[in-house]
Amino acid sequence: MTHPASVVIGLAAVIFAVDGQRPFVLIRRDRTDGPAALPFGPFDPVGDRTFELALRAFVFAQTGFEPGYVEQLYTFGDRGREAPRAHLGDDQAARVVSVGYLGLSLAETDAPGGGWSSWYRHFPWEDHRAGRAPVIDGVISARLRAWASEAEGQGRREARWDRVRLAFGLEGAEWNDERVLDRYELLYEADLAPEAAQDRLRAQGAAPPPLESGAAIDGLGEPMASDHRR
């Protein structure tokens, strides 16, 4: 008889600060053996009264930052998105569902146990402060055109390219600042994000080699732990 895997609820915080035209995200400093990670941890259904209170406790314990305004942003539950962790004990087969929260700060508030990482370090194609990001036309366009052409059938190839064209403002399409997630998802699907290979191997039951800090492909941004960049 097959028993369903248990489910673990995780909480992750995306805390942003802006200094002039430079956006930053709060990361943990205690993870020195891999890529940058957001403040995160498991929700205790017995000990934690609410998601938000548990999240605030995680952020402060891991970074020393006291969150102000936060709101639920998104829920993630893809298979293979999490590596085995000590807090799961013997239940390494548990499916991890993470609830992401967005927090805002007016300035780079002191975070003695954390640090502030430039948004553009992880998403260089979004940096249009000095005009269109060179990596779009220098690398991304050709790589995603090749990916689109690999689809079976003319209809699928055209549908893929339409997604690329609209997301990255190609062939006369207007750039839309709000399509940040769409752009990352395309790079992920095309295996241009290092996290994609990691997740695929985990979903297949294999143990992928750990990502290293700065392990970007052709300048397409530094990865983050788990699916924190997404």
Side-chain angles (χ1 to χ4, degrees):
M1 181 176 179
T2 301
H3 297 280
S6 58
V7 174
V8 173
I9 302 297
L11 303 170
V14 185
I15 309 291
F16 279 110
V18 178
D19 179 8
Q21 292 186 318
R22 300 181 303 162
F24 295 87
V25 65
L26 182 65
I27 61 172
R28 297 169 55 172
R29 281 186 180 150
D30 60 342
R31 294 173 57 90
T32 59
D33 58 345
L38 301 172
F40 71 97
F43 174 75
D44 181 352
V46 176
D48 293 325
R49 186 161 61 88
T50 71
F51 280 5
E52 184 173 324
L53 288 175
L55 177 93
R56 290 179 180 278
F58 278 129
V59 174
F60 184 76
Q62 295 171 2
T63 68
F65 177 80
E66 187 72 56
Y69 170 79
V70 296
E71 68 174 24
Q72 279 195 34
L73 178 66
Y74 207 89
T75 301
F76 300 92
D78 295 357
R79 181 181 291 111
R81 54 175 294 276
E82 285 283 359
R85 276 132 313 133
H87 69 257
L88 292 183
D90 294 330
D91 195 8
Q92 294 295 329
R95 187 71 170 265
V96 181
V97 176
S98 287
V99 181
Y101 277 77
L102 174 68
L104 304 175
S105 180
L106 294 177
E108 285 189 62
T109 307
D110 184 42
W116 295 94
S117 181
S118 169
W119 163 280
Y120 299 129
R121 171 183 167 193
H122 306 288
F123 302 92
W125 57 88
E126 302 291 342
D127 186 359
H128 290 225
R129 291 173 296 173
R132 186 175 174 86
V135 71
I136 296 174
D137 299 316
V139 177
I140 290 174
S141 176
R143 293 292 183 89
L144 289 183
R145 184 179 286 279
W147 169 75
S149 69
E150 294 170 357
E152 295 184 5
Q154 183 66 22
R156 290 192 64 195
R157 288 193 290 272
E158 291 178 354
R160 276 190 178 186
W161 182 245
D162 278 343
R163 289 176 60 201
V164 173
R165 183 176 60 83
L166 294 173
F168 285 95
L170 302 175
E171 297 181 343
E174 184 178 353
W175 179 269
N176 186 335
D177 287 332
E178 297 182 3
R179 302 195 69 169
V180 177
L181 181 57
D182 293 341
R183 288 187 276 272
Y184 175 75
E185 293 284 11
L186 280 165
L187 295 173
Y188 182 96
E189 287 183 47
D191 275 343
L192 296 179
E195 296 95 327
Q198 286 251 312
D199 293 353
R200 184 171 56 254
L201 288 171
R202 287 198 193 105
Q204 295 169 352
L211 288 174
E212 297 180 2
S213 180
I217 299 177
D218 292 338
L220 293 178
E222 292 188 20
M224 300 185 78
S226 184
D227 55 0
H228 290 187
R229 186 157 63 143
R230 181 184 180 208

